[in-house]
Amino acid sequence: MPDRQLSDAESAIPGRPPPLVRFASVSRRFGPVTAVDSVSLDIARGEFCALLGPSGCGKTTLLRMLAGFERPDEGRVLLDGEDITDVPPHRRAVNMMFQNYALFPHLTVEANVAFGLRQENMPAAEIRPRVADMLASLRLDGLEKRKPAQLSGGQRQRVALARALVKRPKVFLLDEPLAALDKKLRSETQFELRELQRKLGMTFIVVTHDQEEAMSMADRIAVMNRGSIVQVAPPRDVYEHPISRWIAEFIGEINLFEGVIDSTGPSGTWVDTPAAGRVHTPNEVPARKGDNAFVAVRPEKVLLAPFDSDPGAYNSASGTLVDVAYLGDTSVCRIKLDRGGFMRATITNARRRGGEPVAPGAHVALRWEPDSALVLVR
Amino acid sequence: MTALRSAKTRAPSTLGRRMIVLVPYLWLCIFFLVPFAIVFRLSLSQTAIAQPPYLPVFDPAAGWEGIRDFFAALSLDNYRILFSDTLYVSSYLKSLQVGLLSTLILLVVAFPIAYGMARVPRRLQPLLLMAVILPFWTAFLIRIYAWINILQRDGLLNDVLQTFGLIGEPVTWLASDTAVYIGIVYSYLPFMVLPLYAVLEKMDESLLEAAADLGCPRWKAFWLVTVPLALPGIAAGSLLCFIPIVGEFVIPDLLGSSQTIMIGQTLWTEFFGNKDWPVASALAMLLLCVLIVPIVVYQHMQSKVLERGR
């Protein structure tokens, strides 16, 4: 693999701008643990990219390699075409927002935000208006003289944003930017961050373990597991077309049925499953007849129908409704399948009155479009 | 509202509770205020060849007359003596100089030690803390005598230096200011290391990363982030060292020369040598006044830190 690094032939594809950030087969080991295992990733200028994965998957280590706090054991890190692998953090044109914000407790809000500009030896007359602008645009005006200890969690987060953004970095790195906020503030801030990124046209890389956060903000999600990137795709594709069983289960809820491939080809794939019978999906998979595979279908794509209705071209299964969890906007139904196993179906509570359309204990049919199901061979 | 609250708090506060509060006050009164008053009264008296060796002596039998005579005999003469004789002034200045300079040396020596202790893996820290405290297990005097052994002409230090060819002739270390500084820095090092360690250990390392991220080189981050955050520890350690060093007697007496005399030694001579209790008391009072200044400054700083934290 080492000869793959710096294969500039890829970036020289005519007509495509070179990536702003390139991780070229980077690895980082901590003792016996390989935190990042030969990861390659390109991030375009102006992109909002999320590194998503469970804790310990190496996403933060990858981010810290770009910031300069970790040196890759193998591979190179490129920024704007320049190899920055050996450039110390204080000379990199990237800025990071730390998970705990790392605001300087002995400095005022104003001095915290001005800190980075002072390091550039910028004259005070120039720093002052830039800091004031930054503070105003993040609704922090009036708090200039406060110390971090005198701020609320949301204000502290905005000071951390301001402190990094005032430097106008080429890439802005956010390490779990919303983890310390409460739920309501978090969802508001998601949209604010997205808006901020569009307005500034800056490249953002966010590390998160929260899929909702990644999906609501990012243009592209790099899903990581055990030190490797397992899929890089826009949020919709990651959710609708996960390329492995692990990703399908990691992102959102999903029903999985074990089965055996009967046939696969351009016209689609047929899988025999003990629990859901013969399932048809329109996608072709890299497998042969007799291979083991999983059929995956999201709960919101499963329809509940009367037991004796005609399935038509839909895939179908039947079972008994065990319980219904009312969540307000939706209800989650758990169905015990007649042929063994359980399945979940989400129904939208579109009407205000009338109670549940089906009561627990009812015998129901489950239907889903061929297009809604996925066959996963990995 | 206030009445209500005080009534509420007073309700369960019985006699026993007040007695508990009384204990520290009683302690302070008996072991600080009363001795302080005695020393103050002595500093206003005159020396005499008598038992006790000072005048006036308060005679309760003489009644009102006696009290009046007693107060009439008190005077500030001893303080005048202190300021008119250069011996006293110079020993004060010498003490302040030794106090300031050795506190500074202690800071420079202790900071890297404390910093290193705070940065090693957590499981090693108790071991290092132990190593800092360990010398206390040997009597202070013995450790100072050990230094005499090390510093004397045919002592360990000269032996080592000669073995490595760094010096030709043995150097006279003992009975010099250098020996006093070595002794003081050695003895007070734990008092500087521990408060510094306490603040540095609490410091969030991501602050230094944040500084680097914002374009600040490491050496500069030390001055812009580490030192300001360590300030409470620097202040506590400096006071903890400076105050007792100024009044230090044993170390300069055993390691220093007879040319440079610190205030502790002057006090000793006045009290035990000249048997002049009043002058010794006046010296002690003046020393207290000098030392109160940094304590007040520190108190002021502390209350500001507390306010900021709120």
Side-chain angles (χ1 to χ4, degrees):
Chain A
M1 280 309 264
D3 51 355
R4 230 193 81 82
Q5 56 181 254
L6 295 177
S7 57
D8 280 345
E10 284 173 79
S11 64
I13 298 168
R16 197 199 275 181
L20 181 63
V21 174
R22 159 164 291 186
F23 292 102
S25 313
V26 291
S27 294
R28 179 80 175 99
R29 279 174 283 274
F30 297 110
V33 183
T34 304
V36 171
D37 191 3
S38 189
V39 164
S40 294
L41 177 67
D42 285 358
I43 293 158
R45 197 178 298 272
E47 189 178 5
F48 198 136
C49 181
L51 303 176
L52 174 66
S55 61
C57 72
K59 54 190 193 299
T60 299
T61 308
L62 194 62
L63 194 77
R64 289 170 60 84
M65 282 198 257
L66 184 52
F69 301 131
E70 302 287 351
R71 199 194 173 283
D73 296 321
E74 282 155 34
R76 315 300 295 176
V77 181
L78 281 81
L79 176 66
D80 218 356
E82 190 190 332
D83 187 342
I84 58 162
T85 316
D86 297 312
V87 176
H90 68 272
R91 292 217 206 95
R92 296 189 183 198
V94 298
N95 285 114
M96 178 155 159
M97 189 173 118
F98 290 79
Q99 185 172 358
N100 62 357
Y101 309 142
L103 297 177
F104 302 121
H106 58 296
L107 299 180
T108 61
V109 167
E110 201 173 27
N112 261 287
V113 176
F115 190 93
L117 298 180
R118 293 222 171 98
Q119 305 314 312
E120 296 172 15
N121 293 323
M122 189 183 275
E126 215 173 308
I127 292 176
R128 205 179 299 265
R130 244 173 94 169
V131 169
D133 279 357
M134 197 72 231
L135 290 176
S137 73
L138 285 166
R139 306 192 312 277
L140 288 164
D141 33 344
L143 303 175
E144 290 89 348
K145 298 293 172 225
R146 295 247 188 117
K147 293 274 172 72
Q150 298 165 311
L151 300 175
S152 72
Q155 288 167 341
R156 243 175 271 168
Q157 193 240 17
R158 295 208 300 278
V159 174
L161 270 176
R163 189 177 69 174
L165 288 175
V166 79
K167 296 263 293 178
R168 296 181 190 152
K170 281 184 180 168
V171 187
F172 181 34
L173 313 175
L174 302 94
D175 187 5
E176 301 276 2
L178 310 175
L181 303 178
D182 59 62
K183 195 167 188 290
K184 188 142 174 90
L185 198 55
R186 204 183 305 162
S187 59
E188 279 171 27
T189 314
Q190 279 171 17
F191 290 106
E192 281 182 11
L193 278 178
R194 175 83 251 205
E195 211 181 285
L196 194 68
Q197 189 262 342
R198 289 226 179 92
K199 205 173 73 190
L200 298 171
M202 206 181 266
T203 310
F204 278 36
I205 303 177
V206 59
V207 155
T208 179
H209 66 277
D210 184 317
Q211 43 158 313
E212 188 196 315
E213 217 169 282
M215 293 182 54
S216 66
M217 296 192 292
D219 298 317
R220 219 157 50 112
I221 297 177
V223 185
M224 290 188 72
N225 187 29
R226 293 185 185 176
S228 301
I229 291 182
V230 287
Q231 185 170 11
V232 188
R236 178 174 287 269
D237 287 358
V238 171
Y239 186 79
E240 303 289 358
H241 301 284
I243 58 167
S244 76
R245 190 184 151 201
W246 186 86
I247 302 167
E249 283 187 296
F250 178 67
I251 308 220
E253 293 280 335
I254 202 152
N255 295 298
L256 282 172
F257 304 105
E258 212 171 346
V260 177
I261 304 260
D262 180 52
S263 73
T264 180
S267 61
T269 305
W270 288 94
V271 184
D272 286 320
T273 68
R278 204 170 147 76
V279 178
H280 178 233
T281 66
N283 59 326
E284 189 182 352
V285 292
R288 278 172 308 181
K289 183 178 164 68
D291 284 354
N292 287 325
F294 283 89
V295 173
V297 55
R298 298 274 180 201
E300 73 277 7
K301 295 185 171 61
V302 178
L303 307 170
L304 292 185
F307 178 61
D308 46 5
S309 59
D310 175 31
Y314 280 52
N315 292 306
S316 181
S318 64
T320 311
L321 188 62
V322 181
D323 55 44
V324 180
Y326 176 75
L327 301 176
D329 51 348
T330 56
S331 291
V332 178
C333 304
R334 213 156 67 94
I335 297 110
K336 188 178 195 310
L337 296 178
D338 292 341
R339 294 202 253 175
F342 284 88
M343 194 159 179
R344 280 160 183 261
T346 310
I347 49 178
T348 309
N349 296 320
R351 292 206 325 220
R352 195 168 179 191
R353 290 170 196 282
E356 305 297 339
V358 276
H363 203 208
V364 293
L366 301 156
R367 311 246 190 274
W368 63 94
E369 284 186 69
D371 206 20
S372 299
L374 270 175
V375 176
L376 300 169
V377 290
R378 280 198 280 161
Chain B
M1 188 62 205
T2 337
L4 220 157
R5 195 184 300 147
S6 65
K8 217 185 239 173
T9 47
R10 200 185 300 148
S13 98
T14 49
L15 197 68
R17 205 179 259 212
R18 282 189 209 173
M19 294 305 284
I20 287 176
V21 179
L22 218 64
V23 171
Y25 282 104
L26 260 173
W27 178 277
L28 269 180
C29 197
I30 296 171
F31 293 106
F32 177 74
L33 270 184
V34 171
F36 179 81
I38 293 172
V39 171
F40 182 61
R41 168 245 192 280
L42 274 177
S43 75
L44 300 174
S45 310
Q46 271 78 48
T47 181
I49 304 172
Q51 187 62 264
Y54 52 82
L55 279 172
V57 181
F58 179 57
D59 181 12
W64 267 113
E65 202 77 343
I67 296 174
R68 222 182 47 218
D69 288 349
F70 172 75
F71 277 102
L74 295 178
S75 77
L76 286 168
D77 282 351
N78 294 320
Y79 293 94
R80 253 170 248 136
I81 292 171
L82 293 189
F83 286 108
S84 59
D85 194 331
T86 50
L87 169 76
Y88 302 114
V89 177
S90 71
S91 68
Y92 266 120
L93 291 179
K94 185 73 200 169
S95 292
L96 284 178
Q97 184 206 330
V98 171
L100 284 171
L101 190 58
S102 41
T103 303
L104 212 71
I105 298 171
L106 274 161
L107 256 178
V108 173
V109 175
F111 209 103
I113 297 175
Y115 196 86
M117 279 172 63
R119 288 289 168 273
V120 299
R122 204 148 271 280
R123 65 197 159 76
L124 288 178
Q125 290 188 10
L127 204 78
L128 292 177
L129 256 176
M130 196 64 205
V132 170
I133 301 167
L134 208 62
F136 285 123
W137 289 19
T138 311
F140 171 69
L141 262 179
I142 292 178
R143 287 183 282 139
I144 294 304
Y145 276 111
W147 272 108
I148 294 180
N149 235 305
I150 294 169
L151 297 176
Q152 66 199 9
R153 257 186 100 74
D154 50 354
L156 189 67
L157 183 60
N158 277 337
D159 277 0
V160 170
L161 289 177
Q162 274 179 312
T163 311
F164 285 100
L166 292 169
I167 50 169
E169 286 295 298
V171 176
T172 312
W173 298 102
L174 266 183
S176 71
D177 278 8
T178 317
V180 174
Y181 283 115
I182 289 175
I184 286 177
V185 169
Y186 163 76
S187 306
Y188 286 87
L189 199 60
F191 297 103
M192 190 60 103
V193 169
L194 293 178
L196 285 176
Y197 167 74
V199 288
L200 291 173
E201 189 258 340
K202 271 186 294 179
M203 209 183 88
D204 182 1
E205 214 162 337
S206 69
L207 292 177
L208 291 178
E209 285 188 346
D213 188 67
L214 293 165
C216 189
R218 282 197 87 90
W219 64 269
K220 210 172 160 195
F222 175 79
W223 290 107
L224 291 179
V225 179
T226 311
V227 170
L229 288 174
L231 224 47
I234 293 174
S238 300
L239 270 185
L240 229 48
C241 293
F242 177 76
I243 291 171
I245 290 172
V246 170
E248 185 57 62
F249 166 73
V250 176
I251 298 173
D253 207 52
L254 293 179
L255 302 179
S257 76
S258 48
Q259 249 69 52
T260 55
I261 291 184
M262 286 175 67
I263 198 70
Q265 293 164 282
T266 314
L267 229 161
W268 171 278
T269 317
E270 287 300 338
F271 199 89
F272 294 99
N274 299 348
K275 295 265 190 288
D276 193 339
W277 291 16
V279 167
S281 301
L283 268 169
M285 292 304 297
L286 224 59
L287 184 62
L288 196 71
C289 292
V290 172
L291 293 182
I292 267 176
V293 177
I295 294 175
V296 170
V297 171
Y298 178 69
Q299 286 282 343
H300 182 68
M301 266 176 55
Q302 276 288 307
S303 60
K304 257 169 78 181
V305 167
L306 280 177
E307 259 169 50
R308 202 188 304 153
R310 230 177 273 148

